[in-house]
C-alpha cells in the first residue's frame, strides 16, 4: 500500500490540498492528521493518506493467504461503501470458515481489522461475510427482536436479551428505531453487555 504525505501551516486547507494533488474525492481515502509545534506560536500540520481501494486490495490478499492456510480454494469480492469495506468470500467448504455459531468467521474479521490497523495506523471498518451467512443471521436477528418488541408493546414489560457483540447490538438498535412505543438500551460491561428492549409509550 502506498502512503501519501502532505504538510501545511493550515489544518483547514490540508485535506483539500491533498485531494487536489491526488485527484480523488474525500470518500476515496482514509487519513490521519498530526501537528507539530514550531517555536512558541507556530504549528505545522501533516496528513498521511491511503486510498481505500489500496487498503481493500491488501485486505483481500490477506484473506486469500488465510484460505491457502486452510487449503481452500475461493473467491473474494470487495464492496466499499461509506468508507467501510465488505468482503464476501465464496469457497468450496464454507462451513470450515464459518465455524460453530460463526466463531471462526468473527475471528477472521477481527484478524483482518487488526492487520489493516497495524499496517496503516488508521482504523478501517471491515465486514466479512461467507456465502451471505451474515446477511441471513441479520435477517433472523431482526425478525426475532421485532417480534419481541411487539410483545413489549402489548405487555409493557421490558425484555433483556442475552449478551452479544457490539455489531449485533447495533443491528438491534437500528431494527427497532422506528417503533413508536419502544426504545433500546445497551447495558452492562463487555463481554456481558446486552440490549434491553423497553416500553416507553407513544412519541
Amino acid at each position: 500500500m502506498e502512503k501519501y504525505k502532505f504538510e501545511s501551516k493550515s489544518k483547514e486547507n490540508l485535506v483539500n490540498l491533498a485531494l487536489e494533488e491526488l485527484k480523488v474525492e474525500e470518500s476515496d481515502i482514509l487519513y490521519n492528521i498530526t501537528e507539530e509545534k514550531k517555536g512558541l506560536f507556530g504549528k505545522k500540520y501533516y496528513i498521511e493518506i491511503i486510498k481505500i481501494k489500496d487498503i481493500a486490495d491488501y485486505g483481500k490478499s490477506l484473506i486469500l493467504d488465510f484460505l491457502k492456510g486452510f487449503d481452500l480454494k475461493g473467491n473474494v469480492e470487495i464492496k466499499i461503501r461509506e468508507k467501510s469495506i465488505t468482503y464476501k468470500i465464496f469457497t468450496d467448504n464454507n462451513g470450515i470458515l464459518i465455524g460453530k455459531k460463526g466463531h471462526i468467521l468473527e475471528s477472521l474479521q477481527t484478524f483482518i481489522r487488526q492487520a489493516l490497523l497495524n499496517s496503516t495506523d488508521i482504523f478501517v471498518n471491515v465486514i466479512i461475510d461467507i456465502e451471505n451467512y451474515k446477511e441471513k443471521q441479520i435477517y433472523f436477528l431482526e425478525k426475532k427482536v421485532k417480534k419481541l418488541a411487539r410483545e413489549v408493546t402489548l405487555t409493557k414489560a421490558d425484555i433483556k436479551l442475552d449478551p452479544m457483540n457490539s455489531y449485533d447490538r447495533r443491528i438491534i438498535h437500528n431494527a427497532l428505531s422506528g417503533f413508536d412505543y419502544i426504545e433500546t438500551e445497551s447495558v452492562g460491561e463487555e463481554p456481558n453487555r446486552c440490549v434491553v428492549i423497553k416500553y416507553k409509550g407513544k412519541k
Side-chain angles (χ1 to χ4, degrees):
M1 287 180 293
E2 187 170 1
K3 297 182 180 180
Y4 305 90
K5 297 181 180 180
F6 301 91
E7 61 182 66
S8 174
K9 293 181 179 179
S10 169
K11 185 177 181 180
E12 289 72 22
N13 294 331
L14 194 51
V15 175
N16 290 333
L17 170 67
L19 294 176
E20 187 176 334
E21 286 286 331
L22 296 175
K23 294 180 173 55
V24 296
E25 301 292 330
E26 187 170 353
S27 58
D28 298 326
I29 63 170
L30 292 173
Y31 59 86
N32 271 334
I33 294 178
T34 56
E35 64 178 63
E36 180 181 324
K37 289 186 177 181
K38 296 287 186 179
L40 291 176
F41 305 104
K43 286 183 180 180
K44 207 164 195 179
Y45 297 93
Y46 301 87
I47 188 171
E48 186 173 79
I49 290 176
I50 306 177
K51 295 179 181 178
I52 296 178
K53 185 181 182 305
D54 292 345
I55 298 174
D57 289 342
Y58 177 65
K60 178 179 178 177
S61 69
L62 294 177
I63 293 172
L64 291 174
D65 287 343
F66 187 88
L67 294 181
K68 287 181 182 178
F70 277 86
D71 198 24
L72 294 173
K73 293 181 180 179
N75 182 44
V76 180
E77 295 179 357
I78 300 173
K79 182 179 179 181
I80 301 173
R81 183 181 179 185
E82 296 178 355
K83 299 195 176 186
S84 177
I85 302 171
T86 297
Y87 297 100
K88 286 196 174 183
I89 304 175
F90 303 89
T91 73
D92 51 2
N93 195 334
N94 297 313
I96 291 178
L97 288 178
I98 293 171
K100 187 177 181 181
K101 294 183 178 181
H103 288 168
I104 294 179
L105 175 56
E106 289 300 323
S107 297
L108 174 59
Q109 182 172 276
T110 300
F111 167 74
I112 296 299
R113 279 181 179 170
Q114 190 60 49
L116 294 180
L117 177 61
N118 291 344
S119 299
T120 64
D121 291 324
I122 300 172
F123 174 79
V124 185
N125 186 37
V126 171
I127 299 170
I128 298 180
D129 201 357
I130 298 175
E131 282 285 353
N132 298 319
Y133 170 81
K134 279 195 172 179
E135 285 187 10
K136 294 173 185 175
Q137 293 300 105
I138 290 171
Y139 170 78
F140 288 118
L141 178 58
E142 288 179 339
K143 186 176 180 180
K144 173 185 174 182
V145 298
K146 286 178 180 178
K147 182 179 179 181
L148 292 175
R150 287 190 285 271
E151 182 180 327
V152 170
T153 301
L154 292 172
T155 64
K156 298 180 175 57
D158 299 349
I159 293 179
K160 184 177 182 180
L161 304 179
D162 292 333
M164 59 186 67
N165 59 47
S166 59
Y167 179 78
D168 288 342
R169 294 198 305 269
R170 186 165 59 251
I171 290 170
I172 294 172
H173 292 311
N174 291 336
L176 302 184
S177 62
F179 279 64
D180 284 338
Y181 301 90
I182 294 295
E183 65 180 1
T184 56
E185 180 185 3
S186 291
V187 299
E189 301 295 329
E190 300 290 1
N192 297 313
R193 196 162 173 78
C194 61
V195 174
V196 179
I197 303 174
K198 297 181 175 182
Y199 178 81
K200 71 167 185 173
K202 191 174 182 179
K203 289 182 180 178

